[in-house]
């Protein structure tokens, strides 16, 4: 199966915290960072997720926000430090490539945000991803 989702990071499940309808799944990415996915309990069961399961974390580029410094007082759990490696801008939107430990991400943000943040190749950023926007696939 091919997917349009550009952001596919390999990792290993380190913990599953079940809930009545939803569960949180902690994933250690191959680059060493930890990512949290909030998925349905049904999905955990159907995928057979448990500690040690090999997975791929999937995130749409429109669901990755970028910050140029530490962000306090924010509920977003997933914060991956990285470096901008490329930017393609259009009339209103931009596609920003970010290198993180063990992989690459693409973030779709507005052209105005690129300008306001002063983004360019080599800019240090933090990729912010809500746990509810992380999908998991077994490998």
């Amino acid at each position: 199966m091919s997917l349009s989702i550009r952001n596919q990071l390999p990792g290993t499940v380190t913990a599953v915290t079940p809930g009545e309808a939803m569960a949180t799944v902690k994933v250690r990415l191959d680059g060493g960072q930890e990512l949290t996915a909030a998925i349905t309990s049904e999905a955990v069961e159907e995928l057979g997720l448990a500690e040690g399961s090999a997975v791929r974390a999937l995130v749409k580029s429109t669901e990755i926000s970028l910050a140029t410094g530490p962000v306090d007082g924010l509920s977003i759990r997933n914060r991956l430090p990285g470096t901008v490696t490329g930017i393609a801008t259009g009339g209103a939107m931009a596609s920003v490539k970010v290198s993180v430990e063990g992989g690459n991400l693409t973030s779709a943000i507005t052209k105005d945000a690129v300008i306001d943040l002063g983004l360019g190749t080599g800019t240090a950023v933090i990729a912010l991803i809500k746990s509810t926007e992380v999908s998991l696939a077994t490998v």
Side-chain angles (χ1 to χ4, degrees), residues 18-105:
E20 192 170 315
M22 299 289 290
T24 56
V25 180
K26 301 264 187 204
V27 176
R28 169 91 44 214
L29 299 176
D30 285 359
Q33 316 90 319
E34 188 169 275
L35 196 67
T36 300
I39 62 175
T40 66
S41 297
E42 183 179 5
V44 169
E45 187 176 317
E46 287 177 2
L47 293 171
L49 297 179
E51 188 174 330
S53 298
V55 295
R56 199 166 277 279
L58 309 170
V59 184
K60 290 176 59 176
S61 60
T62 53
E63 301 305 330
I64 298 178
S65 297
L66 299 176
T68 54
V71 181
D72 294 326
L74 193 63
S75 65
I76 295 175
R77 301 292 84 195
N78 299 310
R79 303 170 187 209
L80 303 177
T83 304
V84 174
T85 59
I87 301 172
T89 57
M93 297 297 293
S95 177
V96 182
K97 303 283 187 192
V98 178
S99 174
V100 297
E101 275 301 315
N104 295 294
L105 296 173

